[in-house]
C-alpha cells in the first residue's frame, strides 16, 4: 500500500538509483513551494516603467454595442492607453479549432465577461479605477444559457458527431428491458490557485517575450503572432510553472497573453496583465454542462445489448476546444463496459456563456455519467443492484470500442475483482446494511465505480513532443521539453528519467523552463500525456548521449563498447567499476569534440483515427481502475460525508509513487466536488451568480473523504507509457462519479419511494428534497 509513504529526503543511495528514486522521490518543487519561493507569473521581476493592464468586459450576455465612452477613463491620471479591436495590427481572432472568437468584441457581445478593451495604466489600481469610468450602451439581444434552448433555436458550433457500432435499432426490439431517461451534469470552475496572467516585454527588433501561465506555450506564441501580424519567431513564450491548470489554461491562457503582447507592441514597454479572481471567474470558460438523453436495452441476464445516447454540450459563445471535448465524450460514452450495439451523438450547442473549455477528463466524465445513470436507472427498475449490471458488462480482452479500437491488456475485471476482494465488499455491504437497519436519522450508501480512460490526444497529429538535453562540461545536465509543470510533478518525472539513464544524482540535473525558442511547435501539456510524450523524448535524447559517451569511454579504457555501462557516476566495464568517472568522461568527450547536446523527437506510434468513418485506433493505451465509495447522509439535514473511497488503480508500473498517489487523490477530490457540491449558476440573463468562493463551494479538507486507500493493481505495465508508468492525470477524476450514486443509494435507503435523479451536482439541498420526496 502506498498511503503515507514517507519521502524522507531528496538524496538517495547511488547504487539503487531507479528503485529508490521511484519510491522516495518527492516533487522537486516541494521545497520552494513550502518556502514560498516558487516563481509564478506574478513573481517575475518586472522592468522599471512596466504598465499594468485590466480588461474591460461586457456587462451583458448578448447584444449590439451602440456606444462606448472611454473619455473619462482616458482622462484619469496614470492611464496610458486603452486598446480595442481597432488596435489589432493582424487578425482580431483567437479561435484555435474554429476561427469564431474575436480577441476583443467588435460590434456585438456574445457573453457576459467578453473582453471589449484593455486598459493600460501605471498601476493595476488606476486601471481598475479607469474601468469603472467607462460608459457602455448595449442593445439587448435574446440570451441563450442552456444547451436545450440552443438546440431548439438551431444555435450550434459545428456539425454533430456520431459514433456507432453494431445495429442498435434492431437489437432494442429483442431486449427484455428497455429504459430511457435524461441526465444533466453541470459545469465546473477550474479554480487554479494562480489566476490567469501574463507579462510581455519588448526585446530588440520587434521581438516580444511573454511569460505566461499557460499549458500551451505554442498556442500563445502562434495566436499572438496572428493577432500582431508578425512571424512566430518574433514571439518567445516562457513558462516556469503554473499554480494549477486543470485544462483551464490549455486554450484560455492565450487571450491575456495576447493582450499584454498587443499593448507591449504598441507601447514598446513591458506590460503585466493578471486577472484577479473575480475577473477570472467571470471572463473564463469552465467544464461544459451537458444535457443528455439515453436509451438502454438489457437482456434477461442483465447484459447491455444496446445503448443510445445524445449529448447536448453547452459550448458557450465560441468553439474553443469544444469540438475536441465533444469527441472525447463519444470515446468514453460506454465507460468500462462492452456494449455490442451503440449509437451516440454529440451536439455542440452555442450559447451566451463564456466559451467552455478543457477540464480534467475533457468531456469523458460527462459521457460516463450518462451510462452510469442509465445503469442505475435500469437497476432500480429491474430491482437489482447497479453492481449486478456493471459486473456482467465489464470490458474484456479483445472487445471492440464503439470507435473501432480493440481493447488490449484490459484491466477492467482485474481492478473490479481486486477491489471487491482486497476491500472485502461483502463485509462493507453487510456493515452498511446493518447500519441502515439500526439507524433512522442517518443512512449509508455504497457504490462501485469502474473507469476506463483512453490515453493520447484524440486528435492524432497532436501526439508528439521533443526534448533538448545538454550535458555541460562539468557534467551537470540541463533538460528542456514541451512539458509544463503545473503541480502534476512532470518535471520530477523528467528528472528521474535523466537520472536513471545517466545514473547521476538528481542535483546534477536541472529541468529548464518551458520555452518556445528551445522546444518549438509543441502540443499543450494536456490529455494526461505530458509525461509520456515528453518523457519518451527525454529518454531518447539521453539514450543517444549515453551511446555516444560509451564510445568515448571505450576509446579511453581500450575495451569494447558493449562491455561498458554508466553507473553511479562512474564507468563500469563488465560490471566492474573503472577509474573513469562521469565528470572525467564528459571532460574527455569535450576535448574529443563530441557533441554533448541531443535533441529528440517522439511521436506516439500505432495510433490513427479516420473521422470520415469515425473508426480507428486513437489511443496508445487505456487506464483502468475501480473505486468503492461509501457515504453517510444526515437524513434530518440532507448533509453528507464520504466515509471512504477504496480504489484499485492501474498505474502500470508507477515511476513516482508519491506523485502518482497525489494525482489520484487530487483528481478524486475534484471529481467528487464536480458531482456533489460545485454548483455553477448563471441567471437567465447569462450573468454568473457563483462568482466568488462564498457562492461556489469546492471540496475542502473537511469534505474530502475521510479514508482514501489506493492499491496499485499488479500489471506488466504498457510499453507505450513512459517506463511502463501509465498516465495518471485525468483518469482518477472519474472515480468521483461514484459519489453521486452512493448518495442516491443512501437516499433510497431512507426513502424507498425516492425516484432516482440524474441531475448533478447532488448538493445537500437536492439530497434533502430527495429524502422527503413522495
Ligand atoms: N486536450 C486536447 C485534451 O486537445 N485533446 C485531448 O484529447 C485531450 N484530452 C484530455 C485533455 N485534454
Ligand atoms: Mo487537459 S483537460 O488540459 O488535459
Amino acid at each position: 500500500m502506498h498511503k503515507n509513504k514517507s519521502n524522507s529526503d531528496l538524496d538517495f543511495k547511488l547504487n539503487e538509483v531507479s528503485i529508490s528514486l521511484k519510491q522516495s522521490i518527492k516533487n522537486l518543487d516541494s521545497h520552494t513551494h513550502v518556502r514560498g519561493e516558487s516563481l509564478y507569473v506574478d513573481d517575475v521581476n518586472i522592468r522599471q516603467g512596466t504598465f499594468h493592464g485590466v480588461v474591460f468586459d461586457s456587462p451583458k450576455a448578448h447584444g449590439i454595442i451602440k456606444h462606448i465612452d472611454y473619455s473619462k477613463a482616458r482622462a484619469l491620471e496614470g492611464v496610458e492607453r486603452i486598446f480595442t479591436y481597432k488596435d489589432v495590427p493582424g487578425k482580431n481572432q483567437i479561435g484555435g479549432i474554429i476561427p469564431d472568437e474575436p480577441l476583443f468584441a467588435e460590434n456585438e457581445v456574445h457573453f457576459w465577461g467578453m473582453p471589449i478593451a484593455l486598459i493600460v495604466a501605471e498601476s493595476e489600481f488606476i486601471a481598475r479605477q479607469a474601468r469603472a469610468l467607462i460608459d457602455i450602451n448595449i442593445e439587448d439581444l435574446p440570451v441563450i444559457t442552456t444547451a436545450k434552448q440552443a438546440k431548439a433555436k438551431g444555435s450550434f458550433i459545428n456539425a454533430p458527431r456520431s459514433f456507432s457500432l453494431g445495429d442498435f435499432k434492431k437489437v432494442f426490439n429483442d431486449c427484455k428491458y428497455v429504459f430511457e431517461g435524461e441526465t444533466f451534469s453541470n459545469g465546473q470552475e477550474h479554480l487554479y490557485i494562480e489566476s490567469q496572467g501574463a507579462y510581455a516585454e519588448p526585446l530588440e527588433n520587434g521581438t516580444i517575450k511573454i511569460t505566461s501561465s499557460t499549458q500551451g506555450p505554442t498556442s500563445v506564441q502562434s495566436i499572438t503572432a496572428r493577432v500582431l501580424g508578425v512571424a512566430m519567431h518574433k514571439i518567445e513564450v516562457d513558462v516556469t510553472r503554473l499554480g494549477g491548470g486543470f485544462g483551464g489554461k490549455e486554450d484560455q491562457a492565450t487571450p491575456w497573453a495576447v493582450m499584454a503582447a498587443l499593448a507591449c507592441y504598441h507601447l514598446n514597454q513591458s506590460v503585466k496583465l493578471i486577472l484577479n479572481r473575480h475577473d477570472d471567474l467571470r471572463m473564463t470558460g469552465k467544464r461544459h454542462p451537458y444535457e443528455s438523453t439515453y436509451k438502454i436495452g438489457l437482456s434477461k441476464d442483465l447484459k447491455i445489448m444496446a445503448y443510445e445516447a445524445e449529448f447536448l454540450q453547452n459550448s458557450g459563445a465560441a468553439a474553443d476546444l469544444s469540438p475536441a471535448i465533444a469527441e472525447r465524450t463519444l470515446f468514453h460514452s460506454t465507460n468500462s463496459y462492452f456494449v455490442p450495439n451503440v449509437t451516440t451523438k454529440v451536439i455542440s450547442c452555442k450559447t451566451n456563456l463564456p466559451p467552455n473549455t478543457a477540464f480534467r477528463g475533457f468531456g469523458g466524465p460527462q459521457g460516463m455519467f450518462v451510462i452510469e445513470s442509465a445503469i442505475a436507472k435500469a437497476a432500480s427498475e429491474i430491482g437489482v443492484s447497479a453492481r449486478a449490471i456493471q459486473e456482467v458488462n465489464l470490458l474484456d480482452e479483445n472487445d471492440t470500442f464503439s470507435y473501432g479500437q480493440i481493447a488490449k491488456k484490459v484491466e477492467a475485471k482485474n481492478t473490479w475483482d481486486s477491489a471487491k476482494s482486497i476491500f472485502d465488499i461483502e463485509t462493507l455491504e453487510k456493515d452498511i446494511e446493518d447500519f441502515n437497519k439500526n439507524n433512522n436519522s442517518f443512512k449509508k450508501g455504497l457504490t462501485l465505480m469502474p473507469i476506463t480512460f483512453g490515453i493520447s490526444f484524440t486528435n492524432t497529429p497532436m501526439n508528439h513532443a521533443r526534448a533538448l538535453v545538454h550535458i555541460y562540461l562539468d557534467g551537470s545536465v540541463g533538460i528542456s521539453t514541451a512539458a509544463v509543470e503545473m503541480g502534476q510533478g512532470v518535471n520530477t518525472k523528467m528528472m528521474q528519467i535523466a537520472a536513471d539513464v545517466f545514473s547521476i544524482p538528481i542535483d546534477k540535473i536541472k529541468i529548464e523552463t518551458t520555452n518556445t525558442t528551445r522546444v518549438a511547435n509543441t502540443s499543450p501539456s494536456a490529455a494526461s500525456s505530458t509525461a509520456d510524450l515528453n518523457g519518451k523524448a527525454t529518454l531518447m535524447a539521453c539514450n543517444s548521449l549515453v551511446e555516444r559517451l560509451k564510445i568515448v569511454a571505450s576509446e579511453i579504457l581500450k575495451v569494447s563498447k558493449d562491455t561498458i555501462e554508466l553507473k553511479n557516476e562512474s564507468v563500469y566495464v563488465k560490471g566492474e567499476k573503472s577509474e573513469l568517472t562521469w565528470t572525467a568522461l564528459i571532460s574527455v568527450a569535450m576535448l574529443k569534440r563530441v557533441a554533448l547536446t541531443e535533441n529528440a523527437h517522439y511521436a506516439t506510434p500505432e495510433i490513427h483515427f479516420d473521422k470520415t468513418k469515425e473508426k480507428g485506433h486513437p489511443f496508445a493505451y487505456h487506464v483502468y481502475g475501480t473505486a468503492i465509495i461509501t457515504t453517510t447522509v444526515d437524513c434530518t439535514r440532507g448533509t453528507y460525508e464520504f466515509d471512504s473511497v477504496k480504489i484499485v488503480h492501474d498505474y502500470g508500473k508507477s515511476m513516482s509513487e508519491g506523485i502518482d498517489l497525489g494525482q489520484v487523490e487530487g483528481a478524486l477530490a475534484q471529481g467528487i466536488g464536480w458531482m456533489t457540491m460545485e454548483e455553477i449558476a448563471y441567471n437567465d440573463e447569462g450573468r454568473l451568480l457563483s462568482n466568488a468562493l462564498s457562492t461556489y463551494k469546492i471540496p475542502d479538507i473537511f469534505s474530502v473523504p475521510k479514508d482514501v486507500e489506493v492499491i496499485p493493481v499488479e500489471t506488466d505495465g504498457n510499453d507505450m507509457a513512459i517506463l511502463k508508468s501509465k498516465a495518471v492525470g485525468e483518469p482518477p477524476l472519474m472515480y468521483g462519479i461514484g459519489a453521486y450514486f452512493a448518495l442516491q443509494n443512501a437516499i433510497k435507503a431512507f426513502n424507498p419511494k425516492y425516484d432516482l435523479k440524474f441531475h448533478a451536482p447532488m448538493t445537500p439541498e437536492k439530497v434533502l428534497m430527495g429524502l422527503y420526496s413522495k
Side-chain angles (χ1 to χ4, degrees), residues 94-341:
I94 60 167
I97 299 177
I98 299 173
D100 67 349
E101 188 177 359
L103 176 69
F104 292 121
E106 298 188 7
N107 305 316
E108 206 173 313
V109 289
H110 296 280
F111 63 93
W112 199 303
M114 181 173 182
I116 296 173
L118 178 72
I119 305 150
V120 172
E122 281 168 15
S123 74
E124 187 190 331
F125 182 76
I126 293 171
R128 275 187 195 287
Q129 282 185 310
R131 182 166 75 176
L133 298 174
I134 298 172
D135 282 324
I136 184 163
N137 180 355
I138 293 174
E139 184 183 298
D140 287 325
L141 288 172
V143 172
I144 301 175
T145 60
T146 72
K148 260 191 198 164
Q149 291 165 2
K151 189 186 175 196
K153 291 192 172 180
S155 171
F156 304 116
I157 295 287
N158 58 352
R161 296 272 299 271
S162 180
F163 286 8
S164 75
L165 177 73
D167 183 353
F168 81 105
K169 282 221 174 71
K170 205 167 122 247
V171 175
F172 270 120
N173 301 328
D174 305 334
C175 286
K176 163 112 184 173
Y177 307 106
V178 177
F179 305 102
E180 292 180 66
E182 276 187 52
T183 72
F184 172 77
S185 62
N186 207 336
Q188 184 175 23
E189 167 56 42
H190 302 87
L191 223 84
Y192 24 68
I193 294 179
E194 181 195 24
S195 59
Q196 302 277 7
Y199 172 67
E201 57 185 309
L203 304 180
E204 58 187 16
N205 296 321
T207 300
I208 293 174
K209 181 177 175 187
I210 304 172
T211 305
S212 167
S213 180
T214 181
Q215 291 173 238
T218 292
S219 318
V220 168
Q221 182 193 20
S222 67
I223 307 265
T224 302
R226 184 204 288 171
V227 172
L228 297 187
V230 302
M232 278 173 77
H233 69 212
K234 293 279 190 190
I235 308 296
E236 172 184 350
V237 179
D238 190 80
V239 183
T240 299
R241 68 163 64 66
L242 317 187
F246 310 115
K249 295 169 183 172
E250 184 176 335
D251 238 28
Q252 298 207 359
T254 301
W256 329 108
V258 176
M259 286 178 205
L262 175 73
C264 174
Y265 172 95
H266 285 292
L267 299 173
N268 198 30
Q269 176 56 284
S270 298
V271 176
K272 185 168 172 177
L273 168 56
I274 298 198
L275 301 190
N276 72 10
R277 185 64 66 184
H278 261 101
D279 287 356
D280 187 306
L281 290 172
R282 185 175 67 255
M283 295 179 201
T284 65
K286 304 164 197 324
R287 186 190 289 287
H288 294 75
Y290 272 58
E291 290 167 282
S292 311
T293 51
Y294 65 82
K295 183 172 172 186
I296 189 169
L298 300 96
S299 67
K300 67 173 191 326
D301 48 2
L302 303 180
K303 285 271 190 190
I304 305 173
M305 301 310 295
Y307 180 64
E308 184 184 8
E310 181 175 277
F311 305 100
L312 300 186
Q313 177 195 61
N314 187 334
S315 313
D320 191 272
L321 291 161
S322 295
I325 291 159
E327 179 177 71
R328 199 176 266 280
T329 301
L330 300 186
F331 284 119
H332 296 305
S333 64
T334 54
N335 189 14
S336 298
Y337 311 109
F338 172 62
V339 184
N341 302 284

Side-chain angles (χ1 to χ4, degrees), residues 250 321 324 328 358 361-362 453 456-459 462 524 526-528 730:
E250 184 176 335
L321 291 161
R328 199 176 266 280
F362 206 72
F453 197 79
S456 287
F457 287 94
T458 57
N459 184 28
M462 290 172 77
S528 303
E730 293 168 290

